[in-house]
Structures are given as structure tokens and as C-alpha cells.
Amino acid sequence: CERTQLSTKTGTVTSLMYKIYTQNACAYCVMAKSLMKENDIDFIEINIDFDKEQKFLLKEQGHKTVPQIYDE
């Protein structure tokens, strides 16, 4: 089930997709993903243990912990 968002400017409905930045052996990441799945919320997982460029970008933005969850 995709979440939808009503734009107050245009009056149109758009679907929301979330991005979750995670790492291996992160209990909070597992809990966040489980919560999203239990509530039928669509998301894309980006594991920064395997994506060094994304890890660099998160650190550059000042983030020191995961999970980081963004709506797209």
C-alpha cells in the first residue's frame, strides 16, 4: 500500500516513498523497517555499509546515526 499526500498548492494526490538509510547489525534499523512493513509503508533501504558514497553524504550532512528516514 503506497501512502498518498495531497498537495495543498495544486490539489493533486501524489504517492510517498520513503528512504531508510541503514547499517548492518543496527537494531534500530531493524525496528524501523519492521514498523514500516507492519503499517504497509513502502520504502527503499540504502545500506551504507555497502554504499560508501551515501555514507559520505550522510556524514557530510552532519548525521552520525542510523536509521535516517526521509520521505521522497
Side-chain angles (χ1 to χ4, degrees), residues 27-38:
Y28 291 111
C29 298
V30 171
M31 288 189 284
K33 292 186 295 182
S34 292
L35 183 64
M36 300 288 266
K37 289 176 186 175
E38 288 170 11

Side-chain angles (χ1 to χ4, degrees), residues 7-19:
S7 170
T8 55
K9 290 182 181 178
T10 63
T12 59
V13 175
T14 59
S15 62
L16 283 178
M17 176 64 75
Y18 291 87
K19 280 187 182 178

Side-chain angles (χ1 to χ4, degrees), residues 23 48 55 58-68:
Q23 279 186 298
I48 61 173
K55 184 175 187 173
L58 283 179
K59 285 187 175 191
E60 194 173 66
Q61 294 173 358
H63 300 294
K64 297 179 181 179
T65 61
V66 287
Q68 293 291 324

